[in-house]
Amino acid sequence: MLAEAQAAIRSVQSYRVDGMLDPGFTVHLVIVRGGSMGTVTAKGVTWSTIAYRGQLWLRGRALWQKTLTQAKAAQLGDSWVLVDDLKAAFNYARTLPNLDETIPAIVFGRHPKLQNKGERVVAGQRVVRLEDDEDIYDVLAAGKPYPVSWLEKENPGPDGTPCGITLRAFDAPAVVTPPTSFKTLT
């Protein structure tokens, strides 16, 4: 069933993802084919992000103040910044450009030990729960089997809350476009 959920998420034009992908790395993003946009938080710092066809732009004065020299941070300010340095943004510049591919491939990839734990209602939706020792997945029980949540049991975030995401707004109208004006961080 998880393979069907993975195929369903790959078939949509867009979806919304909210939650913690890695310990201490929280996302609020719209994902489209070839990109994403929204906000992310790591190490207590929140910034905006746009990923489009493998390129990444970030915007956030607090991010630059926390990760760059004072002079460089002042130069970038709160402008959109094209980022080529994969170590930027606490090393998340490596991950952010490809979430449209990695969320389906890794989060909803093959997990051979999952067991079907039956149907239940989660957030007003009838879902099938799939679970193993490490993960819990909820997949829509009726219609297209969209994945609606993932929870990683064994890898908590800094406050003890487990990593996990919710997905919604499948195929809702969404467009991701690069900023028209930006600075460059290499």
Side-chain angles (χ1 to χ4, degrees):
M1 179 163 229
L2 193 61
E4 292 174 15
Q6 183 187 54
I9 197 172
R10 286 184 185 274
S11 74
V12 298
Q13 296 295 317
S14 67
Y15 59 94
R16 175 123 191 130
V17 60
D18 296 285
M20 190 172 14
L21 278 172
D22 282 326
F25 180 57
T26 304
V27 301
H28 300 285
L29 300 168
V30 172
I31 308 286
V32 300
R33 290 184 185 175
S36 62
M37 67 180 181
T39 61
V40 296
T41 302
K43 300 190 184 283
V45 179
T46 300
W47 66 91
S48 299
T49 176
I50 295 175
Y52 184 75
R53 296 186 180 174
Q55 291 189 297
L56 178 65
W57 293 264
L58 305 176
R59 183 176 67 191
R61 183 181 312 277
L63 172 66
W64 308 130
Q65 289 172 341
K66 183 96 172 192
T67 59
L68 300 174
T69 65
Q70 186 176 9
K72 186 67 173 175
Q75 180 186 24
L76 298 176
D78 204 31
S79 300
W80 280 108
V81 177
L82 177 62
V83 177
D84 290 330
D85 180 358
L86 298 179
K87 292 182 180 181
F90 310 110
N91 289 318
Y92 288 109
R94 179 179 321 277
T95 307
L96 288 168
N98 305 307
L99 289 177
D100 62 310
E101 289 295 324
T102 57
I103 288 175
I106 296 172
V107 176
F108 297 100
R110 192 167 183 271
H111 294 284
K113 295 182 181 180
L114 288 175
Q115 296 178 6
N116 186 325
K117 297 294 187 173
E119 290 188 17
R120 61 197 67 220
V121 175
V122 174
Q125 300 179 92
R126 198 165 53 92
V127 300
V128 174
R129 171 133 318 157
L130 306 170
E131 188 171 347
D132 63 16
D133 291 341
E134 299 172 357
D135 299 291
I136 299 171
Y137 294 91
D138 289 322
V139 177
L140 286 181
K144 206 161 195 175
Y146 292 124
V148 295
S149 68
W150 160 72
L151 183 67
E152 185 177 42
K153 295 192 258 184
E154 86 287 356
N155 201 7
D159 65 354
T161 303
C163 289
I165 56 174
T166 58
L167 295 91
R168 61 185 170 82
F170 300 99
D171 271 336
V175 177
V176 172
T177 56
T180 57
S181 174
F182 57 86
K183 298 177 180 179
T184 303
L185 175 69
T186 55

